[in-house]
């Protein structure tokens, strides 16, 4: 019951975020005097609607998005004589950009608010030292998914021999920076023999040479493989608790980190497609692969079932940041694509004015339709792929 409650609550949180996204367009459009015809949540058959003033508000059957219909959004949108004076395309460029950006801005505000609630209610995880060493031990072989062979006199401790200490932060291995613990693991696994390493201790970088030895590990499929090892473990991040005032700067600091992670995830997205295909084929699901709304709701349900509401809130905040950033990509039919078209029109007409020429008509969207349809097809295919993976082989981080 707790799992399904979590799934429903997370899906509801997504639905509210979508409604607020469209409300961002609605409020700013009305603020600038634009004619808003309709504001609907969902697609497909209409469940109910009502009219207030000139705008129709309503709910549709398929909760997979929403829309805010502003008169004259593009050159393809016909407007009546009554709508023409207040059409979107007649407003100054900066107002149009604000309206188009308002949806993503709303996601960012929701994400920041959720992080603030998390900071005050549960605390935030300190991720300032992601590669700090918790303990220095031996490079023992792994004998089961949760156990390692005991350390003995015949088992090497390369990290200890190199002078590494608990609390040291590994900043580079073999000349390659290691900003995350996964980078440390990858670099050491691929190394053998004397390897240069740099650690930060009390704010000072200290070079050392560690003799990487071969150790046995179990792969995700249970096979025994041989990897490089030095005998260190990661220091688990600490939770820092905040008051209502001290949480404000901490929230904005974490917000900046979240933007960086989202952007890195978007750039790495194409590389993760093969892992999704493998997951559908029955391979173990890579925890770092993209998830759909269904997959995110399942993870939210798992978190709720275990009482991990802080993770539930963090995941919902992360999803809002992702949607907000993704929606600003300069691709049609995303809002970012419309923003780029409007900025192009403004730059074009400004240049023509400087050359003594008259402004040109709005961009002909029919010429952009092939690119738009192509991107919709690609986006639809990826969405279907992600949804399929989340149904047949969902990510279950707590199992």
């Amino acid at each position: 019951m707790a799992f399904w409650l979590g799934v429903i609550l997370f899906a509801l949180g997504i639905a509210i975020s979508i409604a607020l996204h469209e409300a961002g367009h609605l409020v700013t459009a009305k603020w600038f005097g634009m004619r808003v015809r309709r504001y609907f949540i969902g697609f497909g058959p209409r469940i109910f609607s009502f009219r207030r003033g000139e705008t129709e508000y309503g709910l549709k059957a398929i909760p997979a998005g929403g829309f805010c219909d502003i008169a004259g959004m593009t050159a393809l949108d016909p407007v009546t004589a009554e709508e023409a004076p207040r059409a979107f395309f007649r407003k100054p460029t900066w107002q149009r950009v604000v309206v188009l950006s308002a949806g993503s801005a709303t996601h960012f505000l929701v994400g920041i608010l959720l992080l603030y609630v998390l900071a005050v209610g549960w605390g935030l995880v300190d991720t300032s030292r992601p590669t700090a060493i918790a303990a220095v031990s031996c490079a023992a072989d792994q004998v089961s998914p949760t156990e390692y062979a005991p350390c003995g006199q015949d088992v090497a401790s390369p990290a200890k021999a190199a002078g590494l200490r608990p609390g040291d932060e590994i900043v580079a291995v073999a000349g390659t920076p290691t900003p995350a613990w996964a980078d440390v693991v990858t670099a050491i696994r691929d190394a053998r023999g004397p390897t240069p390493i740099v650690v930060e201790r009390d704010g000072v970088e200290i070079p050392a040479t560690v003799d990487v030895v071969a150790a046995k590990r179990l792969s995700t499929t249970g096979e025994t493989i041989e990897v490089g090892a030095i005998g260190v473990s990661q220091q688990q991040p600490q939770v820092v608790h905040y008051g209502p005032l001290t949480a404000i700067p901490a929230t904005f600091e974490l917000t900046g980190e979240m933007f960086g992670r989202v952007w890195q995830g978007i750039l790495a997205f194409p590389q993760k497609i093969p892992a999704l295909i493998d997951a559908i084929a029955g391979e173990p699901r890579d925890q770092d692969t993209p998830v759909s709304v269904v997959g995110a709701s399942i993870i939210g349900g798992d978190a709720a079932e275990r009482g991990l509401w802080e993770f539930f809130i963090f995941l919902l905040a992360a999803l809002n940041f992702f949607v907000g950033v993704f929606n600003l990509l300069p691709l049609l039919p995303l809002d970012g694509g419309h923003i780029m078209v409007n900025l192009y029109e403004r730059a074009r007409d400004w240049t023509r004015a400087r050359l003594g020429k008259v402004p040109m008509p709005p961009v002909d969207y029919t010429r952009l339709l092939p690119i738009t349809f192509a991107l919709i097809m690609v986006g639809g295919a990826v969405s279907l792929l992600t949804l399929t993976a989340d149904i047949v082989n969902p990510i279950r981080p707590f199992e």
Side-chain angles (χ1 to χ4, degrees), residues 8 72 107 142 220 263 299 302 385 397:
I8 294 171
H107 283 297
Q142 187 176 10
T220 54
W263 184 242
I299 298 173
D302 283 339
L385 187 68

Side-chain angles (χ1 to χ4, degrees), residues 17-271:
S17 295
I18 294 172
L20 291 174
H21 172 110
E22 298 303 330
H25 295 312
L26 172 76
V27 171
T28 51
K30 284 183 172 292
W31 186 18
F32 292 131
M34 299 176 186
R35 177 70 177 264
V36 181
R37 298 165 176 152
R38 294 179 298 165
Y39 170 84
F40 272 79
I41 301 303
F43 295 101
R46 179 182 311 179
I47 297 178
F48 74 87
S49 69
F50 63 92
R51 180 171 293 277
R52 178 170 295 175
E54 63 190 13
T55 306
E56 181 185 9
Y57 302 84
L59 179 68
K60 296 201 172 188
I62 304 175
F67 62 92
C68 178
D69 180 14
I70 304 172
M73 278 287 292
T74 71
L76 296 178
D77 181 19
V79 296
T80 64
E82 180 187 2
E83 294 172 336
R86 298 170 54 204
F88 178 86
F89 65 83
R90 289 187 180 275
K91 297 296 180 177
T93 302
W94 72 269
Q95 293 184 5
R96 286 180 268 161
V97 170
V98 168
V99 172
L100 290 168
S101 305
S104 287
T106 304
H107 283 297
F108 299 149
L109 289 174
V110 170
I112 292 171
L113 178 61
L114 289 172
L115 291 184
Y116 178 79
V117 171
L118 186 62
V120 175
W122 288 270
L124 300 177
V125 176
D126 180 9
T127 58
S128 60
R129 303 182 75 240
T131 60
I133 298 173
V136 177
S137 183
C138 65
D141 293 332
Q142 187 176 10
V143 296
S144 77
T146 58
E147 292 182 280
Y148 289 82
C151 292
Q153 293 183 351
D154 58 338
V155 183
S157 179
K160 184 176 181 180
L164 273 59
R165 305 175 189 173
D168 288 348
E169 188 174 0
I170 302 175
V171 296
V173 176
T176 302
T178 52
W181 188 258
D183 300 317
V184 174
V185 172
T186 300
I188 292 175
R189 284 187 171 217
D190 295 339
R192 297 291 188 278
T195 302
I197 190 171
V198 179
V199 299
E200 184 176 312
R201 181 183 302 159
D202 299 326
V204 179
E205 290 192 355
I206 301 174
T209 300
V210 61
D211 189 13
V212 181
V213 298
K216 294 179 181 178
R217 295 289 185 268
L218 299 180
S219 69
T220 54
T221 59
E223 300 177 58
T224 299
I225 58 176
E226 195 174 80
V227 301
I230 62 174
V232 294
S233 58
Q234 181 186 17
Q235 188 177 89
Q236 295 302 310
Q238 301 297 311
V239 176
V240 181
H241 298 276
Y242 299 92
L245 293 180
T246 57
I248 295 175
T251 296
F252 282 103
E253 182 178 352
L254 180 55
T255 296
E257 294 179 13
M258 295 285 286
F259 276 121
R261 294 176 194 172
V262 167
W263 184 242
Q264 292 173 2
I266 290 175
L267 292 178
F269 187 87
Q271 305 171 13

